[in-house]
Amino acid sequence: MPRFSVIVPVHKVQGYLHACLDSVLGQSYRDIEVIAVDDRSPDGCGAILDAYAARDERVRVVHLPRNVGLGRARNAGMPHATGDYLFFLDSDDTLTPGALRAMADRLDETGDPDVLVFDYARTHWWGGTRRNVLAPLLAETSGGTFTAAERPGILDLLMVVWNKVYRRDFVAREGFAFPPGYYEDTPWTFPVLLSAERIATLNRICVYYRQRRRGSILSTTSRRHFDVHEQYARVFRFVDARPALAHWRPFLHVKMGEHCLDILSKPDRLPPSDKGEFFRRTAEMFRAHRPQGATVPAELRVLEGSYAGYVLRQRAGRAGRELGRRARQAGAATAARCARVRPASRRPLDPDLAVYSAFSHRGVLGDPAAIHRAARELAPHVRGVWVLADEEQAAGLEPDTEYVLLGSPGYRRVTERATYFVNNVNWPGALVKRPGSVHIHTHQGTPLAYLGADLLDRPGARLGFDVPQMLRRADRWDYSLVANRHSELVWERAFPCHFTSLRSGSPRNDVLVEAPKGRGRAVRERLGVPDGDTVVLYAPARRDYRRGGLVERLDLARFAAGLGEGRTLVVRLHPSLAAGPARGLGLSELHRRGVLVDATDEPEVQDVLLAADVLVTDYSSIMFDYAHLDRPIVVYADDWDAFRASRGAYLDITAEAPGHVARSHWELAWLFDSGTWRDEEAARLRSAFRKRFCEFDDGRAAERVVRTLMLGEPMPERPAGPARVPSQAPGRDLLTPS
């Protein structure tokens, strides 16, 4: 008996069917059966299904004699199912890698609940991927099992059949089946969830929900959308037949009204001539099923009036939104005009005012933060003000950290008068550089991938990125901080602007050069790493050959398991991936289960580096920072050719690596199994890498910037003693300036 019976109803999807079936049959978890129901599809779907069945014994095809529709096609597949759990997957959607394994593990962990609810992401026809906005609900319920009454928020999730798996015995006992018509998920999911005695959740994206440009049922303009009324009538009949569920009637009443008004508001659902009738039927049903004494939410009171009133309200809403849009445009234009004329009326610069920002105003981070700390110690008379994107970014700041919000009156006041501007990203275009101000650009690490003007011949890498505009903003730089000659050459080529390169070293890496005792241990304790474990840090880079930058190059669960006892895998995603679907594709769930540690939210990457015993990365510039610690580095370069072709690279990291290079999961596993990751050759490679790329770092970079650029002082000599990394050491670089 298989663990999962995957039931796939098929009708007119021949262009998507291969991707759907391959995503299921290619899963690492193989204890499944696939029941594909050919709903009398007029295209080549039937032949495609028969070909898969001939190749894979796990596939069984049911050819229906006539077209019965999506719900009844699912019903036709259920009698053939023998698995513990039923999984209804639409034939134009796909499973994410590792989804079935994650489901099976969660079912085992929760003791075979009646229903397991998991996450999904919408994949749009134009290439975008967007995670379910209600995903936090799954995280909140990620403990044990519960009922809908105990966690009613579960009913706020998308009420579809394919984001859940169902224990087959439970479905058979309750006699659940799909009705005919559109919105057939509604009278299935509500009764199922209200009846389930044990529900569990999985905070992981398991399904990619394809948003087709044309051809999907819900985007078809038709009177069949009127079916939604009968589907909700079925839900109410189900509740009426079970007195114990009567308390759900107010909730379902509101859901019905919201759902029907949502259908009515969509421009592509109902024929325009039928919208008035749809509204009237909805209003009649809303009145008929209104529970006695129930309060109608404000947004649904329109159903107590006429269709004409509804239309007027919709028009007023659109007009209000348009006025708001125009007001924002006018405000932006006014601000831009003010920015252009403001210099004539400005007050003198304040020689003791410095403004800081990092990573597009995300917090007190990186090189600017290190310079700010040094300035508070060495130049306490200089007032430091941070620019933050919003109040959320300000949460957790030290109480004495002064900040302003981007675009606020306070922001305009400090940027008009500040003498020093310190940033690792360009300032907004409206900020005009005043004569006498000093702009210090710190960058974000030693460059491996192309940047700036070098992206002009890389159309994929600069998608949505205006290089000429970026260079106009970079024209405001006075000083560019560099940590090695390689960076110095890159910045001067990639940013052909009028600035002076300062061989300062990287301020944020002062802490790595000094490597204070005990700090790494404190970080390990905060991350929950067992005492005595070897910490393996995996820090992947984003990819430019995939929209959104996410490419899963490594099976994290498999890698973590292969490391064995006494080793903890810590993962830190690239900041640009932290808020997207990347963590929902298994990372959050693996962290919850203790398989690995997700350190993406740690504010200071240097703290994570100090906690690590070995770094595994692909093409992230984090390797240049980690080299200061003189600890092993492994480069996982299984797609190096694709990365270099799409983004461009200033050096071949596979030929001039800081340690051993693995080009496959097998090679990576072997390096750790054999101990080769820390052998003499690894040490030799690391030493050469450090000599070249840690050239100007001596632990005093932040001090050097403050004394040289803010105080106008020479650097005092360091007391005699061995230096870990010789400053201004000779080195070579194969990069030739153009």
Side-chain angles (χ1 to χ4, degrees), residues 18 46-56 61:
H18 287 282
I48 293 172
L49 294 177
D50 290 338
Y52 271 90
R55 293 196 303 266
D56 196 317
V61 182

Side-chain angles (χ1 to χ4, degrees), residues 199-234:
I199 302 171
T201 59
L202 173 61
N203 184 24
R204 185 194 193 280
I205 297 172
C206 294
V207 170
Y208 282 137
Y209 176 28
R210 189 186 301 274
Q211 305 293 285
R212 291 156 63 179
R213 186 168 182 264
R214 59 180 297 274
S216 67
I217 291 175
L218 292 184
S219 64
T220 303
T221 302
S222 167
R223 280 187 60 88
R224 295 194 63 185
H225 292 284
F226 280 76
D227 290 351
V228 70
H229 300 125
E230 177 56 27
Q231 305 297 23
Y232 272 100
R234 290 185 169 100

Side-chain angles (χ1 to χ4, degrees), residues 208-510:
Y208 282 137
Y209 176 28
R210 189 186 301 274
Q211 305 293 285
R212 291 156 63 179
R213 186 168 182 264
R214 59 180 297 274
S216 67
I217 291 175
L218 292 184
S219 64
T220 303
T221 302
S222 167
R223 280 187 60 88
R224 295 194 63 185
H225 292 284
F226 280 76
D227 290 351
V228 70
H229 300 125
E230 177 56 27
Q231 305 297 23
Y232 272 100
R234 290 185 169 100
V235 174
F236 283 114
R237 288 197 292 269
F238 178 86
V239 171
D240 289 343
R242 292 161 177 78
L245 300 179
H247 65 282
W248 285 107
R249 286 187 61 86
F251 173 86
L252 295 170
H253 180 251
V254 170
K255 283 291 181 182
M256 178 197 67
E258 291 174 344
H259 194 174
C260 292
L261 286 179
D262 181 65
I263 294 170
L264 185 61
S265 69
K266 295 290 194 297
D268 57 352
R269 298 282 175 93
L270 293 161
S273 60
D274 293 327
K275 288 191 173 184
E277 181 186 352
F278 185 89
F279 176 88
R280 287 188 289 273
R281 288 197 188 181
T282 299
E284 290 171 3
M285 190 171 183
F286 192 72
R287 288 192 296 269
H289 289 282
R290 179 177 176 178
Q292 187 174 3
T295 301
V296 177
E299 63 273 14
L300 297 182
R301 289 175 190 162
V302 67
L303 289 171
E304 297 178 330
S306 65
Y307 178 62
Y310 167 81
V311 172
L312 288 174
R313 180 174 174 176
Q314 291 294 100
R315 288 175 180 172
R318 286 194 294 269
R321 289 190 293 272
E322 177 63 18
L323 286 173
R325 184 185 68 82
R326 292 182 180 181
R328 288 191 296 272
Q329 287 181 335
T334 301
R337 286 194 298 272
C338 290
R340 288 194 293 269
V341 303
R342 196 175 289 141
S345 60
R346 282 177 174 162
R347 292 178 292 170
L349 295 180
D350 183 343
D352 295 331
L353 177 59
V355 178
Y356 298 86
S357 182
F359 300 105
S360 300
H361 323 298
R362 286 198 297 108
V364 180
L365 304 166
D367 290 306
I371 295 171
H372 179 232
R373 287 191 293 268
R376 296 180 75 165
E377 178 182 348
L378 302 172
H381 60 284
V382 175
R383 173 190 171 203
V385 181
W386 280 85
V387 177
L388 301 178
D390 49 48
E391 289 291 354
E392 183 179 353
Q393 305 297 339
L397 292 184
E398 295 293 330
D400 59 346
T401 302
E402 188 176 356
Y403 70 91
V404 293
L405 299 183
L406 180 67
S408 67
Y411 166 79
R412 290 190 289 272
R413 284 194 296 271
V414 297
T415 54
E416 284 175 357
R417 300 207 60 206
T419 294
Y420 305 104
F421 291 81
V422 184
N423 202 343
N424 64 1
V425 178
N426 267 320
W427 293 98
L431 192 156
V432 178
K433 175 175 168 55
R434 296 185 63 184
S437 63
V438 179
H439 283 242
I440 303 167
H441 194 77
T442 71
H443 304 283
Q444 296 182 35
T446 295
L448 170 61
Y450 276 11
L451 294 166
D454 290 330
L455 292 175
L456 287 172
D457 64 346
R458 304 282 169 169
R462 61 180 173 86
L463 180 66
F465 181 65
D466 188 335
V467 173
Q469 182 186 68
M470 179 274 302
L471 293 177
R472 287 192 293 271
R473 294 180 178 185
D475 280 330
R476 295 173 295 193
W477 302 353
D478 292 294
Y479 295 96
S480 166
L481 306 189
V482 297
N484 46 65
R485 296 170 202 258
H486 164 84
S487 296
E488 188 172 5
L489 291 174
V490 167
W491 302 143
E492 292 182 7
R493 186 178 99 175
F495 301 99
C497 306
H498 300 288
F499 58 79
T500 299
S501 294
L502 180 67
R503 294 180 172 183
S504 59
S506 298
R508 71 186 182 283
N509 287 334
D510 288 345

Side-chain angles (χ1 to χ4, degrees), residues 120-121 129-131 205 208 548 550 573 577-586:
Y120 67 93
T129 299
R130 189 168 302 159
R131 189 177 185 183
I205 297 172
Y208 282 137
L550 172 63
L573 295 179
L577 302 177
R583 297 164 88 174
L585 286 167

